[in-house]
Amino acid sequence: MKKTFIAIITIFLAFITINTYGSEFKTNFMQKRIADKLIRFHVIANSDLNYDQNLKLKVRNEVLKYMTPKLKNSKSLDESRKIIAENDNEIRKISERVIKENGYKYTLNTTLSHENFPVKTYGSITLPAGNYEAYRIIIGEGKGQNWWCIMFPPLCFVDITKGNIAQKETEKEMKAVFTDEEYKSVDNTVKKNDTDKNKENKENSKDENKVVVKFKIFELIKEVFNI
């Protein structure tokens, strides 16, 4: 009887663990799938002071002007990665020129590496927190807020101020490399009412499942101990 009781407790604890961490595992798994298909682009300012933030945007503008014709027709992650690597020196020269022309003597660093990022939204896309490959231009101490976009798929070249037009272009680019499930997980245009309704249904379903499981466990304990 003691072994049976221990087995029941073990099953109960296992259920709690799965229920607690299952959702987190699924989220992390989806983030990894998404990250494996993206290259992000970040320009990080020296500080959050207005003049440093303005300089960041000037650097961004000149780099995008140079890289647009080179990256906008890229069809693969490897192709984009190669283009970025081949043009890294020129990007540095452009950025350093902008910094100098604006009267600053900041150092500059560029890297194509994997970094951890918080949740970020760009137009109709919201990427979950996690580890992503990113090309980063770091100005000076790099302690300011950063501007970012997605280099592959080439969303940097979609004007996110164009409303529905931009949304359709974004969807087209993302769906060229993402599955429907992956795209839905980053699409932030889902109607709030639908989201709330789905969330409510999921919560109700969870509550019902908890009641059923708890009831079954209680019944097992009753049978073992003849309560």
Side-chain angles (χ1 to χ4, degrees), residues 5-224:
F5 177 72
I6 292 174
I8 293 172
I9 295 300
T10 301
I11 293 171
F12 179 66
L13 292 175
F15 168 77
I16 293 175
T17 301
I18 292 171
N19 192 52
T20 302
Y21 295 103
S23 178
E24 182 179 346
F25 175 80
K26 184 177 180 181
T27 300
N28 291 339
F29 179 71
M30 179 59 71
Q31 185 277 326
K32 181 68 167 56
R33 283 171 55 183
I34 292 168
D36 285 345
K37 297 180 178 181
L38 296 178
I39 296 178
R40 297 167 60 143
F41 176 42
H42 290 250
V43 183
I44 306 168
N46 177 66
S47 75
D48 282 334
L49 294 174
N50 287 337
Y51 57 82
D52 280 338
Q53 288 295 313
N54 289 334
L55 178 63
K56 171 194 73 178
L57 297 179
K58 290 178 180 178
V59 170
R60 173 205 67 183
N61 291 344
E62 291 303 307
V63 171
L64 287 181
K65 187 187 299 183
Y66 172 74
M67 291 299 289
T68 294
K70 299 180 183 299
L71 279 172
K72 69 177 182 179
N73 295 319
S74 175
K75 301 301 180 184
S76 74
L77 197 69
D78 287 338
E79 183 181 356
S80 292
R81 192 182 289 122
K82 182 180 179 182
I83 293 170
I84 293 167
E86 290 174 346
N87 288 276
D88 179 59
N89 286 336
E90 189 61 31
I91 292 172
R92 287 179 62 88
K93 289 178 183 178
I94 291 170
S95 301
E96 287 170 347
R97 172 178 58 78
V98 173
I99 291 171
K100 185 177 180 180
E101 287 178 350
N102 282 271
Y104 299 97
K105 296 182 179 180
Y106 294 137
T107 58
L108 186 94
N109 188 29
T110 61
T111 65
L112 179 61
S113 58
H114 284 81
E115 304 290 337
N116 289 317
F117 295 101
V119 175
K120 285 279 188 176
T121 295
Y122 182 77
S124 60
I125 298 299
T126 297
L127 298 184
N131 190 273
Y132 294 85
E133 184 174 12
Y135 182 71
R136 300 192 301 156
I137 298 176
I138 305 168
I139 303 171
E141 296 183 3
K143 293 183 177 179
Q145 294 182 35
N146 73 99
W147 176 90
W148 81 284
C149 67
I150 301 172
M151 274 187 157
F152 183 82
L155 299 190
C156 286
F157 319 114
V158 174
D159 185 351
I160 63 174
T161 65
K162 290 183 179 178
N164 289 334
I165 296 175
Q167 185 179 325
K168 289 179 180 179
E169 291 178 5
T170 298
E171 183 176 355
K172 179 182 177 181
E173 295 289 354
M174 294 295 276
K175 285 190 172 181
V177 295
F178 279 15
T179 65
D180 287 342
E181 182 185 15
E182 290 163 352
Y183 178 73
K184 287 177 182 177
S185 72
V186 298
D187 179 17
N188 61 33
T189 63
V190 179
K191 292 181 180 179
K192 188 176 185 298
N193 289 340
D194 292 342
T195 302
D196 291 342
K197 186 176 180 180
N198 289 336
K199 183 177 180 181
E200 183 180 348
N201 290 336
K202 287 180 180 178
E203 290 298 326
N204 290 337
S205 178
K206 286 181 181 178
D207 291 340
E208 290 173 2
N209 289 335
K210 288 178 181 178
V211 170
V212 171
V213 172
K214 287 179 180 179
F215 179 76
K216 288 182 178 179
I217 291 173
F218 180 68
E219 286 298 314
L220 285 171
I221 293 174
K222 283 178 66 178
E223 290 178 9
V224 172

